[in-house]
mmCIF file of all heavy atoms in Angstrom:
data_model
loop_
_atom_site.group_PDB
_atom_site.id
_atom_site.type_symbol
_atom_site.label_atom_id
_atom_site.label_comp_id
_atom_site.label_asym_id
_atom_site.label_seq_id
_atom_site.Cartn_x
_atom_site.Cartn_y
_atom_site.Cartn_z
ATOM 1 N N VAL A 144 99.641 116.274 117.096
ATOM 2 C CA VAL A 144 100.253 117.587 116.806
ATOM 3 C C VAL A 144 101.755 117.456 116.664
ATOM 4 O O VAL A 144 102.390 118.037 115.763
ATOM 5 C CB VAL A 144 99.892 118.601 117.900
ATOM 6 C CG1 VAL A 144 100.692 119.888 117.718
ATOM 7 C CG2 VAL A 144 98.406 118.890 117.880
ATOM 8 N N ALA A 145 102.379 116.665 117.548
ATOM 9 C CA ALA A 145 103.843 116.468 117.472
ATOM 10 C C ALA A 145 104.229 115.825 116.155
ATOM 11 O O ALA A 145 105.185 116.241 115.481
ATOM 12 C CB ALA A 145 104.308 115.618 118.651
ATOM 13 N N LEU A 146 103.482 114.793 115.761
ATOM 14 C CA LEU A 146 103.766 114.125 114.472
ATOM 15 C C LEU A 146 103.494 115.055 113.314
ATOM 16 O O LEU A 146 104.218 115.027 112.298
ATOM 17 C CB LEU A 146 102.953 112.853 114.346
ATOM 18 C CG LEU A 146 103.470 111.653 115.151
ATOM 19 C CD1 LEU A 146 102.465 110.526 115.128
ATOM 20 C CD2 LEU A 146 104.797 111.167 114.566
ATOM 21 N N LEU A 147 102.472 115.880 113.415
ATOM 22 C CA LEU A 147 102.158 116.828 112.367
ATOM 23 C C LEU A 147 103.300 117.810 112.160
ATOM 24 O O LEU A 147 103.721 118.071 111.033
ATOM 25 C CB LEU A 147 100.859 117.565 112.718
ATOM 26 C CG LEU A 147 100.380 118.630 111.725
ATOM 27 C CD1 LEU A 147 100.030 118.002 110.399
ATOM 28 C CD2 LEU A 147 99.167 119.349 112.277
ATOM 29 N N LEU A 148 103.826 118.353 113.256
ATOM 30 C CA LEU A 148 104.916 119.307 113.154
ATOM 31 C C LEU A 148 106.185 118.618 112.642
ATOM 32 O O LEU A 148 106.931 119.200 111.820
ATOM 33 C CB LEU A 148 105.168 119.944 114.525
ATOM 34 C CG LEU A 148 104.051 120.824 115.060
ATOM 35 C CD1 LEU A 148 104.370 121.321 116.472
ATOM 36 C CD2 LEU A 148 103.809 122.014 114.111
ATOM 37 N N THR A 149 106.438 117.408 113.111
ATOM 38 C CA THR A 149 107.609 116.674 112.631
ATOM 39 C C THR A 149 107.503 116.383 111.142
ATOM 40 O O THR A 149 108.487 116.532 110.392
ATOM 41 C CB THR A 149 107.759 115.351 113.412
ATOM 42 O OG1 THR A 149 107.840 115.651 114.806
ATOM 43 C CG2 THR A 149 109.012 114.604 112.989
ATOM 44 N N SER A 150 106.323 115.969 110.692
ATOM 45 C CA SER A 150 106.114 115.703 109.259
ATOM 46 C C SER A 150 106.318 116.961 108.436
ATOM 47 O O SER A 150 106.911 116.918 107.368
ATOM 48 C CB SER A 150 104.729 115.121 109.038
ATOM 49 O OG SER A 150 104.553 113.893 109.678
ATOM 50 N N ALA A 151 105.792 118.065 108.955
ATOM 51 C CA ALA A 151 105.918 119.336 108.208
ATOM 52 C C ALA A 151 107.377 119.750 108.083
ATOM 53 O O ALA A 151 107.850 120.173 107.028
ATOM 54 C CB ALA A 151 105.114 120.439 108.923
ATOM 55 N N ALA A 152 108.149 119.610 109.178
ATOM 56 C CA ALA A 152 109.574 119.969 109.157
ATOM 57 C C ALA A 152 110.333 119.047 108.190
ATOM 58 O O ALA A 152 111.173 119.511 107.416
ATOM 59 C CB ALA A 152 110.158 119.879 110.578
ATOM 60 N N ALA A 153 110.046 117.748 108.262
ATOM 61 C CA ALA A 153 110.719 116.812 107.380
ATOM 62 C C ALA A 153 110.361 117.087 105.905
ATOM 63 O O ALA A 153 111.212 116.999 105.015
ATOM 64 C CB ALA A 153 110.338 115.382 107.742
ATOM 65 N N GLY A 154 109.092 117.436 105.660
ATOM 66 C CA GLY A 154 108.673 117.775 104.310
ATOM 67 C C GLY A 154 109.360 119.019 103.777
ATOM 68 O O GLY A 154 109.744 119.072 102.596
ATOM 69 N N LEU A 155 109.527 120.012 104.627
ATOM 70 C CA LEU A 155 110.216 121.240 104.199
ATOM 71 C C LEU A 155 111.674 120.976 103.875
ATOM 72 O O LEU A 155 112.182 121.462 102.851
ATOM 73 C CB LEU A 155 110.101 122.280 105.317
ATOM 74 C CG LEU A 155 110.738 123.667 105.038
ATOM 75 C CD1 LEU A 155 110.075 124.302 103.833
ATOM 76 C CD2 LEU A 155 110.629 124.562 106.254
ATOM 77 N N LEU A 156 112.351 120.185 104.713
ATOM 78 C CA LEU A 156 113.746 119.842 104.436
ATOM 79 C C LEU A 156 113.841 119.055 103.122
ATOM 80 O O LEU A 156 114.711 119.298 102.286
ATOM 81 C CB LEU A 156 114.304 119.008 105.586
ATOM 82 C CG LEU A 156 115.702 118.419 105.377
ATOM 83 C CD1 LEU A 156 116.733 119.526 105.176
ATOM 84 C CD2 LEU A 156 116.094 117.527 106.564
#
Side-chain angles (χ1 to χ4, degrees):
V144 172
L146 282 170
L147 179 64
L148 294 175
T149 303
S150 297
L155 181 61
L156 173 61

